[in-house]
Amino acid sequence: MSYPAPYEGFGAAEFFKLAWLSEHVLQVSFQRAPVNAFHVPMWTEMHKIFDHIRGDGDVRVVILSGEGRCFTAGLDLQDPMLLEAKENGSDVARRALNFRELIDRFQAAITSIEVCERPVIGVAHSHALGLAIDILSTVDIRYATKDTTFSIREAAIGLAADIGTLQRFPKIVGNDSVARELALTARDFNAAEAQQIGFVSQVFATRDEALRAAVATAQRIASLSPVAVVGTKMSLVHARDHSVDEGLKYMQYLNASFLQSDDLMEAIGAALSKSKPTFAKL
């Protein structure tokens, strides 16, 4: 197979571009002109895509990016379904229940990236605003172009971020004061600052350069035991939200099964013989 190649496992996607960039490396790109703003049908489709990927044993790594002008400008504030949720219901309690249901579905859609069990590399370019931070906070590795502008934008439009940034971002950067400053001021911060505070790990001159680096990283990950990679991602996500003791207990039960994988002996045998290991799909 020559790359890039169409990914046909999911079927037709309306707001996303799906393509194999390398063996076992799948690109999922936002594709809603002009600025990849998310409306309800778009994040609903994204949820379906990542649920599907979770069950596709051929996918070992995902690269999440944006087509066109930017990564994403965030939420589409003119989405008629948002206006409909505000208007439906005969009183404040019933309208609140409608909103809570919508927010719950939205949160689950974004969290589907985190629970996908495949490592996800986010590649941001140009603008990554509002919802973009929610999304990037769920991925495992973050790259950006040097011209990327980031912003936890929600306070500037009259709401508190409710899809995961306030829960995940402070733990990613490890600096409570910086996280609160960025969330409370809604100010822009550039790629250099994002790297300085630990939100992104590498910054590149262009989107193409960032994508090439992401593919190289993904290929390295995809060459390893998929069982080991899945177990590592699951354990890192668990450890973020639990104590060290709880994390160690989690590892006992996880590796009680994972240590019985054929991958372990394949990896050991390959290391001893200095050959390339071959792993079965998940």
Side-chain angles (χ1 to χ4, degrees):
M1 180 186 296
S2 59
Y3 299 101
Y7 176 69
E8 298 176 348
F10 181 76
E14 187 174 358
F15 304 108
F16 292 83
K17 176 184 174 183
L18 306 175
W20 292 111
L21 295 187
S22 182
E23 186 177 16
H24 304 302
V25 177
L26 179 66
Q27 181 182 31
V28 176
S29 280
F30 313 139
Q31 190 169 250
R32 184 177 181 239
V35 291
N36 297 323
F38 274 70
H39 60 346
V40 173
M42 186 174 176
W43 56 255
T44 299
E45 183 172 77
M46 187 176 75
H47 194 172
K48 293 177 181 177
I49 289 169
F50 276 92
D51 278 355
H52 174 83
I53 291 170
R54 190 179 185 185
D56 186 339
D58 287 322
V59 179
R60 297 187 186 178
V61 188
V62 176
I63 294 175
L64 186 64
S65 59
E67 298 294 317
R69 287 166 50 182
C70 65
F71 181 70
T72 171
L75 185 65
D76 184 349
L77 298 177
Q78 296 181 324
D79 182 359
M81 295 187 73
L82 294 179
L83 301 176
E84 183 181 326
K86 183 178 180 180
E87 294 171 357
N88 282 350
S90 57
D91 59 31
V92 65
R94 287 165 177 79
R95 290 193 293 273
L97 288 171
N98 289 336
F99 264 119
R100 189 203 64 179
E101 173 64 22
L102 185 66
I103 294 168
D104 182 61
R105 287 170 46 212
F106 203 169
Q107 289 175 344
I110 303 306
T111 299
S112 69
I113 301 169
E114 185 174 84
V115 302
C116 176
E117 296 178 358
R118 305 297 191 276
V120 180
I121 302 172
V123 178
H125 76 286
S126 184
H127 286 85
L129 309 177
L131 179 61
I133 308 299
D134 295 301
I135 292 169
L136 288 169
S137 293
T138 66
V139 309
D140 301 283
I141 299 168
R142 285 165 290 276
Y143 292 167
T145 58
K146 65 180 182 180
D147 68 341
T148 305
T149 298
F150 299 91
S151 176
I152 303 173
R153 188 59 61 88
E154 283 81 357
I157 59 171
L159 55 90
D162 55 3
I163 312 297
T165 289
L166 301 183
Q167 292 69 41
R168 296 182 175 104
F169 183 84
K171 295 178 180 179
I172 292 168
V173 302
N175 186 321
D176 185 67
S177 178
V178 167
R180 288 173 186 250
E181 177 199 334
L182 293 173
L184 291 167
T185 64
R187 70 168 176 83
D188 293 348
F189 57 104
N190 61 26
E193 185 176 0
Q195 185 175 31
Q196 179 186 7
I197 65 176
F199 187 56
V200 302
S201 53
Q202 295 192 60
V203 175
F204 301 89
T206 66
R207 178 178 179 271
D208 286 346
E209 186 180 329
L211 282 172
R212 285 195 296 271
V215 170
T217 300
Q219 287 173 328
R220 168 64 180 169
I221 295 170
S223 73
L224 304 176
S225 157
V227 171
V229 168
V230 166
T232 298
K233 171 167 180 172
M234 291 170 62
S235 301
L236 286 168
V237 172
H238 181 275
R240 182 196 61 198
D241 300 325
H242 296 80
S243 69
V244 171
D245 184 62
E246 289 170 321
L248 290 170
K249 291 288 185 185
Y250 180 84
M251 289 306 304
Q252 291 177 16
Y253 289 98
L254 182 73
N255 268 0
S257 58
F258 279 22
L259 284 172
Q260 300 181 60
S261 166
D262 292 339
D263 289 18
L264 180 62
M265 297 311 298
E266 175 67 22
I268 292 172
L272 292 174
S273 64
K274 297 183 179 179
S275 61
K276 182 179 177 181
T278 301
F279 301 108
K281 71 177 186 179
L282 288 169

